[in-house]
Amino acid sequence: MAAELHVELVAADRSVWSGAATLVVARTTSGDIGVMPGHQPLLGVLESGPVTIRTSEGGTVVAAVHGGFISYADNKLSMLAEIAELADEIDVQRAERALERAKAEADAAAERRADVRLRAVAGR
């Protein structure tokens, strides 16, 4: 059996995903980071972006994450996000409409959120 780490992705309002993984890739304020079993302890600030989780079963879970924190120690990775949505939960047409509306209103924050949702869907 390959080495694995336990991952918890939690949003402010719910537990989004929990399970065993072999790799997690996330965007932090220091840049993109990949965490595998045995990684050095880590504490960082999550930026808005897709998070990719390679599960121990060989599958891939992608989530749109909007801010928060990431920590890793003792083969346990925790991500506490302000907002997090699994790619499978995202309504693509609604995200596309939100992106167009944000561009029309010059709302950079809303545009970024919609863009992250669409990139998460594309990465699943």
Side-chain angles (χ1 to χ4, degrees), residues 5-93:
L5 56 115
H6 182 75
V7 178
E8 294 281 338
L9 173 56
V10 179
D13 61 343
R14 67 186 178 116
S15 177
V16 178
W17 191 86
S18 176
T22 58
L23 172 68
V24 176
V25 178
R27 175 153 295 165
T28 70
T29 55
S30 300
D32 288 350
I33 186 167
V35 179
M36 298 174 69
H39 195 282
Q40 292 293 316
L42 157 75
L43 179 61
V45 177
L46 287 169
E47 293 239 332
S48 292
V51 168
T52 303
I53 303 167
R54 302 273 185 224
T55 68
S56 295
E57 294 81 33
T60 301
V61 174
V62 180
V65 172
H66 308 280
F69 298 94
I70 183 171
S71 70
Y72 177 79
D74 301 323
N75 273 340
K76 294 179 184 152
L77 179 74
S78 300
M79 291 176 283
L80 176 57
E82 294 172 23
I83 301 169
E85 307 164 271
L86 293 174
D88 295 339
E89 300 171 341
I90 296 170
D91 181 334
V92 175
Q93 292 176 339

